[in-house]
């Protein structure tokens, strides 16, 4: 009987009615530990749009750089946006963020000293229209909206929006179609290219005897160690990465034409003298001799096509920078022109 | 009659199909089908830097995630021919043992659920919370900690963290003996577990069983013995039993928890001051490294070119344990419910096991049965 009274008393209490009328669930106050890594917090105003966070993120589509619209005052602000559905809360973006103070805060990760840092690059990215196959892989790989655009059936990079992350260069399936050009020291880069071309020409001309004895349809393969150019190139531009890439790009696209002259076969018919557009080939009646001034020669191959006695031989040289036995060398392949079979 | 259990079933933690060949209530033998949670993590890792891969390696296993990052980091350290500072090595030991404690508690509580002892299930799970709290205090997160890097650990442990860990493990130790006694001395619980799902030493060797499952069957094999940190700084002797039944497996795990608590105390005692991380120039090449995860041996085989991961292959312990469970433990079991309990006692982790397949190139066949190799 007494239990029933206590039971009724429980209902009669004021707190019971308060509980029924003001029924609200209270929030638990849960304290986060100091080092808890939540989703990264973005502080827009410090962002320099370097793309280090998008580069470092291990989860696809978790972080993306967006850019507010431009107005009269200036450029719009670029800043990262976290997609919380894809983010795995690793905090790596906060660790690599190079700004001071950090744009991204995540647990204690933004306090960690940086070991792996992606800094803005010195390159400018451009598309070679001649080689581009319009596969649009660069557009898909680009982390910034509208940095690579398709206009008039051409792919182009909008330099004002590009953050120089280099994703497009990795995505491009055609070698040379997307170029990452170093924009500093352009004159020095030209000097290096000139040095490379001159050294290669001298090297090939020193092997003229081998070229003369080369049977047609055979290739002549030569090697020039890079160390012969390397020291001089570093004197011009003391940046190993840039110098190596300039040499590599130069040798990739380079073709050198070589013309050799076999005096013993010449019958002094003088057909080539009239054909030569620069007057490099002359005939001296006193000595009864046809002479060629190689400094004036344009290597147009007119004399080669005219000569009925195959005095002239015409070669095309191609190059490749490669590593042989742990040493970088320029591989040279020389081939007689196919015009001989006319 | 063939009784299928799973792939989605309340008795199983993770998706897997268990086919029990029964005669009446008696289970004669069992087959296991995999293939429901294959995620292709190894393929995703190819062509990425280690900084990204270490976060992905953490997600291979959902429970013992820590050991994967440590093994990954130590493999790359072996390629680069460096070793983490001593303080970092010992911090790794502390986190590793805390992870082992929570994993063993989870495995045991799942076993208690399988034998319908819900009291112990809740008791042990609530005890596990202390271990999880300690991990959270030290590393910041409970499961995917992001704590290891190549060349050391990410954050330093301060004195307040170490004190908190000592306090937490003393809380665990206070109740551990009592709960172990409830299991080992309780007449019904013991009866339910002794001589059920028995695997002899020869069968364990044949099935390549590793970890507590192998050690409960008499294989005295623990990779922590060979690890340089344990060998140089800590006093360690593996725990093993002879019986090879469900009781031995569960008790082996309880005993290893007590040993882990001892190892954490030793590690905090000898913890020196100094750096927690060295800068590593990643070398190029190939290396293998093996470590003792809570479930057994984890092996990483990595080939790098100095920057990117060219090829990676991960071997996790669960695949051997689950297969030896199907072949040797689930054989002449008295009832179906005992079969489910035996399966739970093998501590299966399906998510990390989904990576083995034997391909016969000549016939063009693929099979997942590693025991019928010719």
């Amino acid at each position: 009987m007494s239990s029933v009274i206590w039971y009724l008393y429980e209902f009669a209490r004021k707190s019971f009615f308060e509980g029924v009328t003001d029924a609200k669930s209270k929030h638990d106050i849960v304290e986060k530990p100091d080092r808890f890594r939540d989703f990264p917090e973005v502080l827009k105003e410090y962002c320099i749009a370097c793309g280090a966070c998008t580069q470092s993120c291990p989860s696809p589509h978790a972080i993306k750089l967006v850019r507010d619209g431009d107005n009269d005052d200036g450029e719009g602000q670029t800043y990262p946006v976290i997609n919380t559905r894809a983010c795995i809360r690793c905090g790596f973006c906060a660790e690599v963020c190079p700004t001071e103070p950090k744009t991204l805060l995540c647990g204690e990760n933004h306090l960690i000293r940086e070991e792996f840092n992606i800094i803005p690059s010195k390159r400018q990215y451009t598309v070679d229209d001649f080689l581009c196959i319009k596969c649009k892989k660069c557009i898909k790989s680009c982390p910034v909206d509208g940095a690579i655009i398709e206009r008039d059936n051409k792919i182009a990079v909008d330099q004002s929006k590009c953050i120089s992350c280099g994703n497009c260069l990795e995505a491009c399936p055609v070698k040379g179609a997307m170029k990452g050009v170093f924009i500093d020291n352009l004159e020095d880069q030209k000097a290096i290219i000139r040095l490379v071309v001159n050294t290669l020409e001298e090297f090939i001309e020193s092997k003229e005897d081998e070229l003369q004895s080369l049977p047609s349809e055979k290739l002549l393969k030569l090697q020039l160690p890079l160390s012969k150019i390397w020291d001089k190139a570093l004197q011009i531009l003391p940046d190993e990465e840039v110098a190596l890439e300039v040499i590599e790009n130069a040798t990739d696209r380079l073709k050198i034409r070589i013309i050799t002259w076999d005096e013993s076969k010449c019958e002094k018919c003088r057909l080539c003298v009239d054909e030569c557009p620069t007057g490099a080939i002359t005939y001296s009646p006193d000595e009864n001799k046809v002479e060629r001034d190689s400094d004036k020669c344009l290597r147009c191959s007119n004399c080669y096509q005219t000569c009925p006695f195959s005095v002239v031989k015409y070669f095309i040289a191609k190059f490749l920078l490669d590593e042989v036995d742990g040493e970088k060398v320029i591989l040279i392949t020389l081939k007689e022109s196919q015009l001989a079979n006319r | 009659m063939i009784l299928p259990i799973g792939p989605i079933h309340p008795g199983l933690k993770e998706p897997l199909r268990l086919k029990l060949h029964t005669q009446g209530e008696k289970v004669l033998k069992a087959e296991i089908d995999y293939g429901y949670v294959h995620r292709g993590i190894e393929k995703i890792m190819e062509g990425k830097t280690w900084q990204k891969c270490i976060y992905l390696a953490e997600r291979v296993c959902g429970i013992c995630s820590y050991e994967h990052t440590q093994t990954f980091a130590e493999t790359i350290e072996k390629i680069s021919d460096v070793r983490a500072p001593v303080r970092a090595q010992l911090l790794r030991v502390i986190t590793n043992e805390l992870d082992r404690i929570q994993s063993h508690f989870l495995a045991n509580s799942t076993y208690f659920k399988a034998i319908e002892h819900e009291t112990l299930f809740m008791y042990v799970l609530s005890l596990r919370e202390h271990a999880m709290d300690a991990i959270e205090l030290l590393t910041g997160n409970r499961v995917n900690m992001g704590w290891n890097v190549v060349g050391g650990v990410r954050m330093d442990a301060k004195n307040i963290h170490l004190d908190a860990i000592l306090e937490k493990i003393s809380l665990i130790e206070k109740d551990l003996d009592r709960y172990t006694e409830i299991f080992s001395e309780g007449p019904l619980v013991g009866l339910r577990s002794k001589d059920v799902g028995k695997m002899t030493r020869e069968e364990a060797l044949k099935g390549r069983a590793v970890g507590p499952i192998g050690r409960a069957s008499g294989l005295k094999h623990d990779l922590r013995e060979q690890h340089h940190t344990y060998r140089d700084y800590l006093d360690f002797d593996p725990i093993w039993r002879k019986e090879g039944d469900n009781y031995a497996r569960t008790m082996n795990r309880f005993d290893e928890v007590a040993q882990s608590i001892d190892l954490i105390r030793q590690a905090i005692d000898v913890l020196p001051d100094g750096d927690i991380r060295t800068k590593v120039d990643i070398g190029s090449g190939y290396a293998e490294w093996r470590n003792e995860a809570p479930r057994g041996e984890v092996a990483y085989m990595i080939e790098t070119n100095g920057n990117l991961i060219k090829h990676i292959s991960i071997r996790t312990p669960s695949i051997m344990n689950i297969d030896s469970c199907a072949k040797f433990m689930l054989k002449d079991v008295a009832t179906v419910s005992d079969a489910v309990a035996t399966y739970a006692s093998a501590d299966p982790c399906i998510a990390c096991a989904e990576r083995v397949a034997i391909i016969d190139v000549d016939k063009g066949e693929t099979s997942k049965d590693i025991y019928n190799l010719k």
Side-chain angles (χ1 to χ4, degrees):
Chain A
M1 187 62 207
S2 62
S3 65
V4 174
I5 294 167
W6 279 111
Y7 194 63
L8 290 173
Y9 173 67
E10 188 70 21
F11 286 111
R13 274 163 52 197
K14 191 187 168 194
S15 60
F16 175 79
F17 287 103
E18 277 180 359
V20 172
T21 50
D22 302 343
K24 272 181 195 165
S25 58
K26 284 173 188 166
H27 286 289
D28 270 354
I29 298 164
V30 181
E31 276 187 29
K32 287 179 186 172
D34 311 336
R35 292 171 161 183
F36 179 67
R37 283 200 316 273
D38 206 340
F39 291 117
E41 188 185 336
V42 181
L43 305 173
K44 279 186 195 181
E45 60 271 23
Y46 302 127
C47 183
I48 57 169
C50 65
C53 44
T54 51
Q55 280 272 299
S56 65
C57 186
S59 170
H61 312 301
I63 190 163
K64 191 152 185 137
L65 281 173
V66 297
R67 183 167 150 139
D68 286 344
D70 297 351
N71 53 23
D72 298 341
D73 300 339
E75 285 183 354
Q77 174 75 37
T78 308
Y79 56 90
V81 170
I82 313 283
N83 178 4
T84 48
R85 289 183 179 181
C87 179
I88 60 173
R89 299 203 273 192
C90 63
F92 194 21
C93 48
E95 197 179 329
V96 299
C97 184
T99 61
E100 189 64 42
K102 295 253 183 183
T103 310
L104 290 146
L105 309 179
C106 185
E108 272 193 10
N109 272 39
H110 61 278
L111 303 175
I112 298 166
R113 77 187 151 107
E114 60 222 25
E115 180 186 286
F116 175 76
N117 207 345
I118 302 162
I119 52 167
S121 140
K122 299 170 285 187
R123 292 163 187 260
Q124 187 167 353
Y125 291 84
T126 51
V127 181
D128 190 328
D129 273 335
F130 183 67
L131 291 174
C132 179
I133 56 170
K134 277 104 187 163
C135 64
K136 297 178 194 168
K137 279 186 181 163
C138 46
I139 298 181
K140 280 174 200 158
S141 69
C142 186
V144 184
D145 282 338
I148 303 178
I149 42 175
E150 193 186 8
R151 191 194 295 142
D152 302 337
N153 202 20
K154 279 180 184 173
I155 310 279
V157 182
D158 188 342
Q159 298 299 346
S160 64
K161 289 187 180 174
C162 178
I163 58 167
S164 300
C165 64
N167 280 2
C168 45
L169 200 63
E170 279 169 26
C172 186
V174 184
K175 192 175 182 185
M178 177 66 79
K179 285 187 238 171
V181 186
F182 290 100
I183 43 179
D184 295 337
N185 314 322
L186 278 179
E187 287 303 315
D188 295 343
Q189 291 179 38
K190 279 180 195 166
I192 290 181
I193 294 172
R194 257 182 250 123
L195 172 76
V196 171
V197 174
N198 289 340
T199 318
L200 285 170
E201 256 187 30
E202 278 171 24
F203 180 70
I204 294 171
E205 275 167 11
S206 71
K207 307 272 178 185
E208 198 169 321
D209 293 343
E210 288 178 42
L211 279 175
Q212 294 271 3
S213 57
L214 185 75
S216 60
E217 308 288 336
K218 281 273 172 73
L219 299 177
L220 179 65
K221 290 187 176 175
L222 302 169
Q223 288 185 1
L224 178 70
L226 187 66
S227 51
K228 290 198 173 181
I229 311 172
W230 191 239
D231 292 339
K232 285 183 191 169
L234 282 189
Q235 277 175 13
I236 299 170
L237 186 56
D239 186 343
E240 289 194 0
E241 190 200 348
V242 181
L244 186 66
E245 192 165 315
V246 168
I247 293 174
E248 192 172 0
N249 284 343
T251 50
D252 262 356
R253 303 290 298 275
L254 187 65
K255 269 185 198 172
I256 295 183
R257 306 176 198 183
I258 305 290
I259 285 183
T260 59
W261 190 269
D262 193 354
E263 201 73 59
S264 59
K265 287 182 184 171
C266 184
E267 299 286 345
K268 284 88 180 174
C269 67
R270 285 164 274 164
L271 282 175
C272 50
V273 177
D274 293 338
E275 283 295 327
C276 184
T278 55
I281 304 174
T282 49
Y283 175 66
S284 59
D286 302 341
E287 293 170 29
N288 188 21
K289 201 177 177 185
V290 180
E291 279 180 343
R292 189 172 63 101
D293 185 2
S294 59
D295 286 344
K296 282 186 185 174
C297 181
L298 281 180
R299 300 177 189 179
C300 63
S301 81
N302 273 3
C303 51
Y304 163 73
Q305 293 184 41
T306 321
C307 184
F309 304 107
S310 58
V311 174
V312 187
K313 276 189 172 180
Y314 178 51
F315 295 89
I316 291 175
K318 290 185 178 177
F319 307 89
L320 182 68
L321 189 65
D322 204 354
E323 205 166 306
V324 176
D325 301 335
E327 192 191 3
K328 287 224 160 100
V329 293
I330 301 175
L331 301 175
I332 307 166
T333 315
L334 279 152
K335 192 189 172 193
E336 197 175 350
S337 168
Q338 290 298 315
L339 286 169
N341 303 331
R342 64 191 179 273
Chain B
M1 192 185 114
I2 294 178
L3 177 68
I5 300 179
I8 309 297
H9 188 272
L12 311 177
K13 277 190 294 184
E14 284 170 277
L16 169 135
R17 174 166 282 161
L18 201 59
K19 288 182 196 161
L20 303 176
H21 293 246
T22 54
Q23 194 176 49
E25 182 76 355
K26 194 177 179 187
V27 178
L28 300 176
K29 61 171 187 172
E31 289 174 40
I32 281 181
D33 274 0
Y34 307 103
Y36 299 97
V37 280
H38 182 81
R39 292 167 294 164
I41 285 189
E42 287 150 328
K43 187 69 192 164
I44 298 172
M45 282 185 190
E46 280 175 17
K48 287 191 159 63
T49 54
W50 70 260
Q51 285 96 340
K52 291 187 186 185
C53 286
I54 202 157
Y55 290 117
L56 289 167
E58 195 158 48
R59 283 155 176 84
V60 169
C61 184
I63 303 160
C64 48
S65 60
Y66 175 77
E67 194 63 40
H68 284 270
T69 58
Q70 185 181 336
T71 318
F72 185 97
E74 281 173 351
T75 318
I76 302 264
E77 281 163 22
K78 191 185 174 190
I79 292 175
S80 319
D81 203 15
V82 291
R83 208 167 258 187
V86 179
R87 186 175 173 88
Q89 287 181 27
L90 286 163
L91 284 172
R92 279 176 181 177
V93 166
I94 293 169
T95 326
N96 189 5
E97 296 304 326
L98 282 171
D99 202 46
R100 192 181 310 281
I101 290 172
Q102 63 92 2
S103 174
H104 279 355
F105 275 152
L106 186 74
N108 277 358
S109 66
T110 317
Y111 176 69
F112 297 141
K113 184 84 181 353
I115 60 169
E116 308 292 348
H117 200 301
E118 292 218 9
T119 316
L120 257 183
F121 166 67
M122 296 307 291
Y123 277 179
V124 175
L125 267 192
S126 64
L127 206 54
R128 175 176 178 258
E129 272 316 291
H130 295 309
M132 297 302 274
D133 284 348
I135 291 173
E136 195 176 13
L137 278 165
L138 184 62
T139 67
N141 286 37
R142 284 160 62 94
V143 178
N144 293 322
M145 303 162 207
W147 165 254
N148 264 315
V149 284
V150 174
V153 293
R154 213 171 268 272
M155 289 177 274
D156 202 357
K158 294 169 190 125
N159 277 334
I160 49 165
H161 297 125
L162 299 176
D163 291 346
I165 289 169
L166 286 174
E167 194 186 313
K168 292 284 180 195
I169 59 173
S170 67
L171 281 175
I172 293 173
E173 201 171 37
K174 204 174 76 184
D175 282 344
L176 179 66
D177 287 347
R178 198 157 62 84
Y179 297 161
T180 313
E181 207 167 287
I182 294 175
F183 175 70
S184 61
E185 306 293 327
L188 287 174
V189 192
L191 204 65
R192 189 74 206 275
S193 310
K194 279 177 185 166
D195 283 335
V196 177
K198 204 163 178 179
M199 180 166 70
T200 60
R201 188 172 185 277
E202 285 71 32
E203 285 169 342
L205 270 174
K206 202 178 165 194
R208 291 104 164 152
V210 288
I213 288 92
R215 286 197 287 277
S217 294
L219 296 177
K220 193 186 173 189
H221 175 255
D222 194 324
L223 277 170
R224 281 181 287 173
E225 269 185 314
Q226 298 160 20
H227 194 277
H228 48 84
T229 318
Y230 288 87
R231 203 179 50 212
D232 296 349
Y233 299 99
L234 304 169
D235 183 21
F236 174 75
D237 198 28
I239 290 169
W240 61 291
R241 280 166 180 266
K242 285 180 187 168
E243 298 96 321
D245 51 6
N246 289 357
Y247 179 82
R249 284 190 276 278
T250 313
M251 283 304 290
N252 211 71
R253 278 189 215 112
F254 270 136
D255 291 350
E256 278 181 27
V257 168
Q259 190 189 40
S260 289
I261 290 171
D262 181 39
L263 278 171
I264 292 169
R265 291 219 172 102
Q266 286 183 35
I268 290 179
D269 274 351
V270 297
L271 193 68
D273 289 336
D275 268 348
I276 53 157
R277 189 170 172 179
T278 49
K279 177 134 177 103
V280 181
D281 291 326
I282 308 292
S284 66
Y286 170 83
E288 297 176 11
W289 193 264
R290 294 183 295 164
N291 261 344
E292 182 80 13
R295 285 169 179 75
E297 167 193 315
V298 161
Y300 268 64
M301 288 138 268
I302 299 179
E303 193 183 352
T304 70
N305 65 355
N307 181 27
L308 304 175
I309 307 289
K310 276 166 80 180
H311 183 74
I312 182 165
S313 174
I314 306 169
R315 182 182 146 122
T316 52
S318 295
I319 188 77
M320 291 85 85
N321 288 344
I322 295 169
D323 267 344
S324 48
C325 167
K327 285 277 168 191
F328 306 116
M329 295 181 204
L330 293 173
K331 195 175 61 184
D332 298 331
V333 182
T335 63
V336 172
S337 60
D338 271 356
V340 174
T342 308
Y343 171 74
S345 80
D347 196 3
C349 176
I350 315 297
C352 57
E354 294 272 342
R355 58 190 74 256
V356 78
I358 291 118
I359 298 167
D360 193 331
V361 181
D362 297 334
K363 291 179 189 167
E365 289 173 357
T366 306
S367 81
K368 298 218 169 194
D369 191 351
I370 58 171
Y371 296 107
N372 292 337
L373 280 178
K374 304 239 165 51

